[in-house]
Amino acid sequence: MQWFLANIPQLLGLAGYHLIQAVVPLVLAVVIAVPLAQCARINKTAAGIILSAGSLLYTVPSLALFVILPGILGTRILDFSNIIVALTIYAVALLVRSTLDALNSVDDGLRQSATAMGFKPLQRFLMVDLPLSVPVLFAGLRVISVSNISLVTVGSLLGIPSLGFLFTDGLQRNFPTEIAVGIAGTLVLAVLMDAVLVLLQKLLTPWLRKAASPAATTQEVPA
């Protein structure tokens, strides 16, 4: 406990680096995966290519990808962008499939109704398909966020700062307390990320809260 209290500033700094490396790829993955999933939904040939590519990319070992990317991107081995790009690749590989499932979960009758009301394809996608797919989409995001937080620690083997530094440093110094703090900190970040995603999902789906409220249920019961 004394070591923990004495090193709180350093631990907060490492946690901040860890969060940046986990959150940025998650946001980028959503921006990339949603259009890819929509393309896969409306084109079966594209679906086969996109899903196969995603499965193939996810099989690449993370440490190998972290080492290879500097040569491809022209960056330094200790550059944060290596981790960002690598985790974005992994996140997209997972998120495309779950986003496709989310879009497929939207009832076709609702799509047809929106089309009959004069919605253009893009307008229907943004105002009908995407909002209604949010619950399933966020289920995938929650899994990927935990995966990202875990994978960030691997970057510490290359000297990139994160909570993973506590694992390598604690192992080298044979100091179990440091390792335990690193594990606990990583778990805390994972729980916090999950809580934020749950809250964000609720904010984006107000109709689900209304449907679940007792008042709404009472009003729907016929007299």
Side-chain angles (χ1 to χ4, degrees):
M1 180 60 72
Q2 291 181 348
W3 181 89
F4 171 76
L5 294 175
N7 290 275
I8 286 179
Q10 180 191 14
L11 296 176
L12 291 177
L14 292 174
Y17 285 130
H18 201 115
L19 269 179
I20 292 172
Q21 294 172 71
V23 172
V24 173
L26 194 64
V27 174
L28 293 176
V30 172
V31 174
I32 297 170
V34 170
L36 287 177
Q38 174 65 359
C39 180
R41 191 187 71 80
I42 61 181
N43 189 308
K44 291 184 178 180
T45 302
I49 296 173
I50 292 171
L51 295 179
S52 297
S55 299
L56 182 62
L57 287 172
Y58 197 72
T59 61
V60 179
S62 58
L63 185 57
L65 190 58
F66 293 160
V67 172
I68 292 171
L69 278 176
I72 298 174
L73 301 176
T75 55
R76 293 178 296 118
I77 192 71
L78 297 180
D79 201 319
F80 275 103
S81 59
N82 300 324
I83 302 295
I84 300 298
V85 173
L87 293 188
T88 300
I89 290 173
Y90 285 130
V92 169
L94 288 176
L95 191 58
V96 165
R97 187 175 295 275
S98 62
T99 304
L100 180 58
D101 291 338
L103 294 173
N104 285 334
S105 69
V106 179
D107 187 84
D108 282 334
L110 294 174
R111 290 193 177 100
Q112 293 172 6
S113 298
T115 301
M117 293 173 63
F119 281 57
K120 300 294 172 91
L122 180 60
Q123 186 182 20
R124 188 189 67 184
F125 173 71
L126 295 175
M127 299 183 66
V128 178
D129 293 1
L130 197 54
L132 292 178
S133 68
V134 164
V136 180
L137 174 61
F138 267 73
L141 276 176
R142 292 172 66 185
V143 173
I144 295 168
S145 71
V146 174
S147 175
N148 271 11
I149 286 176
S150 176
L151 285 173
V152 167
T153 60
V154 179
S156 64
L157 295 175
L158 304 177
I160 299 176
S162 71
L163 289 175
F165 167 79
L166 302 178
F167 303 158
T168 56
D169 190 61
L171 185 62
Q172 291 171 357
R173 296 198 297 154
N174 193 25
F175 188 33
T177 300
E178 190 173 7
I179 298 174
V181 170
I183 294 173
T186 304
L187 291 175
V188 168
L189 287 186
V191 171
L192 289 176
M193 277 282 290
D194 188 68
V196 169
L197 287 174
V198 169
L199 177 60
L200 184 58
Q201 178 186 338
K202 289 182 178 180
L203 293 175
L204 293 175
T205 55
W207 60 88
L208 293 180
R209 297 201 306 273
K210 292 178 181 178
S213 65
T217 305
T218 304
Q219 291 173 359
E220 291 173 0
V221 176

